[in-house]
Amino acid sequence: MGLLSFRGGVHPPHFKEPTSRLKVENAVEPKVVTIPLSQHIGAPCEPLVKPGDKVKVGEKIGESKSFVSAPVHSSVSGEVKAIKPCLTPSGEALCIIIESDGLNALHENVIPKGDIEALSGEEIKNIIREAGIVGMGGAGFPTHVKLSPPPENKIDTIILNGAECEPYLTADHRLMLENPGDIVYGLKAMMKVLSVSKAYIGIEDNKGDAIGVMEEAVKNERDIEIVGLETKYPQGAEKQLIYACTKREVPSGGLPMAVGVVVNNVGTAAAVAAAIKTGMPLIERICTVGGKGIKEPKNLLIKIGTSFKEIVEQCGGYRGDIGKLIMGGPMMGLAQYTDEIPATKTASGILAFTPDEASLPKPRNCIKCGKCVDICPAFLQPLYISAYSLNNMHETAEKYNALDCIECGSCSFICPSKRPLLQSIRVAKREIIAKKRKTK
Amino acid sequence: MNGKLIASSSPHIRSGETISSIMRDVVIALLPATLAGVYFFRLRAVMVIFFAVLSAMITEAVIQKIRKQDVTLNDWSAVVTGLLLALNIPAAAPWWMPIVGSVFAIAVVKQMFGGLGNNFMNPALAARAMLLASWPVQMTTWLAPVGHTVTTTATPSVMASVGDAVTTATPLAIISGGEGAGNILPTLTDLFIGNIGGCIGETSALALIIGGIYLVYRGVITPRIPVIYIATVAVLTFGFGGFDPYFMTYQIFAGGLMLGAIYMATDYASSPVTPRGQIIFALGCGIITSIIRLYGGYPEGVSYAILLMNVASPLIDKYTGPRVFGEVK
């Protein structure tokens, strides 16, 4: 089968060589973890513990009554030291600070939950919710919500995202090579929840070894197909991935379920498998630590709540001065202004750039080359949306479909005039949404 | 960790392509045609190119100084404009003509409308049109290329202005009757190589096509505009020119079509950005060029066709926005 793809997109350099052959290592046990109560899209959790409480590994320490939310768990055993607002990768949020006793005693709830065959779909969904599993590709949307489509949307396909189209990141790549069984197990569990009989696992062709390993892992699964994808950014963007695998277009303003598809990251599937097989909630994840500013780039299995600083120290520390620190990939990741922040469920990568790489290019006049129009995977005209946004003409920006922007950053990447296209489009989107809320 | 971290909006990496690299590619792509022009028209071509490029650069720098802006000569865009203008002027032109043209192109058409990216017409073409309207005789006095032996039909006054050089007529003037009648049509090989009368840069279709392939290979332009433009002219001049493949071939390879379609109609600022818009733009250029050549009194038509479509570009863009991903029509 030939490589599948979407229309548009860019080809940033891969930068994956430094870590793609490095096995995932266990990170050093953190002495203190800072666990944010909001690591997902949706309502933040309320703390279930108070300072002085003893907690164990896997113990639920935060929960919300709201459906669109995911509980958080302790990643160490020890004592709750404080519950206070701290800086997190996505801004200030209430955090539970736990000092580890170094024993890693397991909580009594961390026990195998049984076999997929024996569990009902509803039970599996409940396990996933209780395990605090969220989309691990970066957005952090609670997985059980994705697995609860309204009755009018008949889901017939699940797609696992193993594209890993962000440069530098190799966490999903290593997971596919080292733990393909759990990915398939987790996928089958989700297929049971949604009672679908067709699933794809999409992988970019720059990870040929992963395609091979995953094909081997599903050779007895009639319903699961490994899809080789063209290596092109943003191949792993939800709507683009759905189009590549099924040729279905998610309607403008709609969700994937509108075309009968649910997309999850391969990391999410592995977390689902762990939650069922061992009962361990989402308390750790694989994180690629890389970039020219890191002395020894690595793939580390880190505990949620470990500080960036500690993680970087395990990778030999910084190489010289650092100009930028990013959580996630270089195309969509969040730039941080300090390394004294905890890693969250969505920390797929920690990248350090040299001051030279970080320096912002001076924007020049738009020369109307039309490259952003040619490559926009949402088929927008970024140059015009950006120009209207910069002139405070947000209504006109809306007419140019600003809200359909998926914020992949391809336009800013390709722009020869180095204009802040996505940045200004984000402003327009925010203004448009704010105005809509007001008029409602 | 010392020093400040930059917390900017994603994406955090940018492609290596810059305005300078694009404009430099355009200059590189124009080199074959420039060298062909210098080969065929010798020192006079060198002089025109030199004055055009130099005065374009000086004008750009002076105006940017006056406007208290960064001087952006290093983006190569003034060089491109000067070079394109030179290639659109006959080698017989007096020395001051490229200077007047370049100053007009940069000062009026480019900088007065806001500088790079804001010009509503191709600056070099607008300057060429201005020169043609102001000095029609000098702008249509064609030097015979070196090694070319054709007797002239030029008037004595024009003869005086070009000294002892031999003048000729362009193939399009010959084929359309009119002023060039009486001259012998060059062979197809001469036509393709560029051993014919014409502006400095327009004669060698071969050199222009080589440069065009380079631009497409480097991703500077897509083949959309040039291919559709040239194809439209081919179809129309064939259909309305008496189904004469010979006539059609001359229409494609002679005159400014190659230069215009590959290097001028593809000017970013003055052509549409949407794929559908570019198709309409190219079709429009082809149709207008053909009408002027077939039914107009003027043997050329490329400049005016592109300029007319230039001013229509914003309108075309407005109505040819792409279908948004997932949009239900």
Side-chain angles (χ1 to χ4, degrees), chain A residues 167 239 243 249-252 318 321-326 330-333 335-339 353 358 360 362 364-371 373-374 377-381 383-384 401 404 409 412-414 416-419 422-423 426, chain B residues 1-19 22-23 70 72 74 114-118 218-222 224 267-275 278 314 317-318 320-328:
Chain A
K239 293 179 178 183
Y243 181 80
E249 269 189 33
V250 177
S252 166
Y318 297 110
D321 278 346
I322 298 304
K324 203 175 233 181
L325 188 67
I326 301 163
M331 293 298 287
M332 290 188 78
Q336 306 296 330
Y337 60 88
T338 168
D339 59 0
F353 281 7
L360 297 173
K362 188 175 168 8
R364 301 279 173 191
N365 280 2
C366 171
I367 55 172
K368 302 190 180 66
C369 63
K371 283 176 197 279
V373 181
D374 268 336
F379 312 158
L380 304 177
Q381 301 173 68
L383 78 161
Y384 290 126
N401 306 298
D404 280 288
S412 294
F413 172 80
I414 202 81
S417 293
K418 312 297 162 200
R419 297 187 62 74
L422 173 55
Q423 193 177 349
R426 278 201 180 106
Chain B
M1 185 173 55
N2 355 304
K4 277 199 185 120
L5 292 176
I6 296 174
S8 60
S9 180
S10 67
H12 307 291
I13 50 175
R14 302 295 194 107
S15 75
E17 197 176 50
T18 60
I19 298 177
I22 289 175
M23 295 297 169
D70 293 349
T72 55
N74 60 358
L116 184 67
N118 294 317
R218 295 280 294 165
V220 173
I221 61 170
T222 64
R224 233 176 260 139
D267 172 44
Y268 290 149
S270 54
S271 65
V273 296
T274 66
Q278 291 175 353
D317 255 352
K318 193 172 171 185
T320 55
R323 181 195 67 95
V324 171
F325 185 94
E327 188 182 356
V328 197

Side-chain angles (χ1 to χ4, degrees), chain B residues 18-36 49 52-54 56-57 72-87 110 201 207-208 210-212 214-216 218 220-221 259 262-264 266 268:
Chain B
T18 60
I19 298 177
S20 311
S21 74
I22 289 175
M23 295 297 169
R24 202 163 49 225
D25 272 341
V26 176
V27 173
I28 293 170
L30 282 169
L31 279 182
T34 308
L35 293 177
I49 294 166
V53 173
L54 189 71
M57 291 173 73
T72 55
L73 284 182
N74 60 358
D75 72 11
W76 289 75
S77 66
V79 178
V80 169
T81 299
L83 184 55
L84 273 177
L85 175 67
L87 299 187
K110 185 178 174 188
L208 290 165
I210 290 172
Y214 175 77
L215 286 183
V216 171
R218 295 280 294 165
V220 173
I221 61 170
L259 182 61
I262 300 172
Y263 304 90
M264 319 284 271
T266 53
Y268 290 149

Side-chain angles (χ1 to χ4, degrees), chain A residues 305-321:
Chain A
T306 314
S307 89
F308 276 33
K309 194 175 185 161
E310 250 182 276
I311 295 168
V312 170
E313 274 162 14
Q314 289 172 51
C315 300
Y318 297 110
R319 186 197 301 275
D321 278 346

Side-chain angles (χ1 to χ4, degrees), chain A residues 3 56 89 100 106 129 161 198 200 250 265 362 375 383:
Chain A
L3 294 174
K56 288 181 176 167
S100 171
L106 283 190
R129 183 192 161 119
N161 187 353
K198 184 72 208 171
Y200 300 96
V250 177
N265 190 263
K362 188 175 168 8
I375 56 85
L383 78 161

Side-chain angles (χ1 to χ4, degrees), chain B residues 216-239:
Chain B
V216 171
Y217 167 75
R218 295 280 294 165
V220 173
I221 61 170
T222 64
R224 233 176 260 139
I225 291 178
V227 168
I228 295 174
Y229 187 174
I230 294 167
T232 307
V233 172
V235 169
L236 290 180
T237 53
F238 184 68

Side-chain angles (χ1 to χ4, degrees), chain A residues 210-409:
Chain A
I211 294 177
V213 168
M214 291 308 299
E215 261 167 0
E216 184 65 25
V218 299
K219 69 167 188 265
N220 295 322
E221 309 289 341
R222 254 182 335 115
D223 305 332
I224 303 175
E225 196 180 314
I226 305 298
V227 179
L229 303 168
E230 186 196 340
T231 301
K232 184 167 77 169
Y233 180 87
Q235 193 65 263
E238 199 165 55
K239 293 179 178 183
Q240 280 59 39
L241 182 64
I242 293 170
Y243 181 80
C245 292
T246 66
K247 294 289 167 285
R248 297 179 197 169
E249 269 189 33
V250 177
S252 166
L255 290 170
M257 50 180 71
V259 290
V261 181
V262 164
V263 180
N264 278 293
N265 190 263
V266 287
T268 313
V272 168
I276 297 171
K277 282 173 155 174
T278 66
M280 184 59 87
L282 180 51
I283 57 154
E284 55 187 13
R285 67 156 300 142
I286 304 172
C287 174
T288 302
V289 189
K292 266 192 200 155
I294 300 284
K295 277 202 183 132
E296 300 163 28
K298 280 179 182 172
N299 284 304
L300 286 180
L301 184 66
I302 54 166
K303 288 199 157 170
I304 308 297
T306 314
S307 89
F308 276 33
K309 194 175 185 161
E310 250 182 276
I311 295 168
V312 170
E313 274 162 14
Q314 289 172 51
C315 300
Y318 297 110
R319 186 197 301 275
D321 278 346
I322 298 304
K324 203 175 233 181
L325 188 67
I326 301 163
M327 182 182 90
M331 293 298 287
M332 290 188 78
L334 294 172
Q336 306 296 330
Y337 60 88
T338 168
D339 59 0
E340 312 218 351
I341 43 171
T344 63
K345 294 174 184 176
T346 52
S348 49
I350 297 175
L351 307 178
F353 281 7
T354 63
D356 202 36
E357 290 173 306
S359 73
L360 297 173
K362 188 175 168 8
R364 301 279 173 191
N365 280 2
C366 171
I367 55 172
K368 302 190 180 66
C369 63
K371 283 176 197 279
C372 54
V373 181
D374 268 336
I375 56 85
C376 177
F379 312 158
L380 304 177
Q381 301 173 68
L383 78 161
Y384 290 126
I385 302 176
S386 167
Y388 289 122
S389 171
L390 292 172
N391 284 302
N392 278 315
M393 294 166 71
H394 301 301
E395 273 166 30
T396 319
E398 190 183 358
K399 285 202 191 99
Y400 277 85
N401 306 298
L403 291 182
D404 280 288
C405 171
I406 59 170
E407 303 192 16
C408 66

Side-chain angles (χ1 to χ4, degrees), chain B residues 293-324:
Chain B
R293 284 189 178 181
L294 289 168
Y295 307 110
Y298 178 57
E300 260 296 347
V302 171
S303 317
Y304 294 116
I306 296 174
L307 288 173
L308 281 171
M309 292 311 291
N310 278 169
V311 291
S313 287
L315 195 67
I316 296 173
D317 255 352
K318 193 172 171 185
Y319 291 107
T320 55
R323 181 195 67 95
V324 171

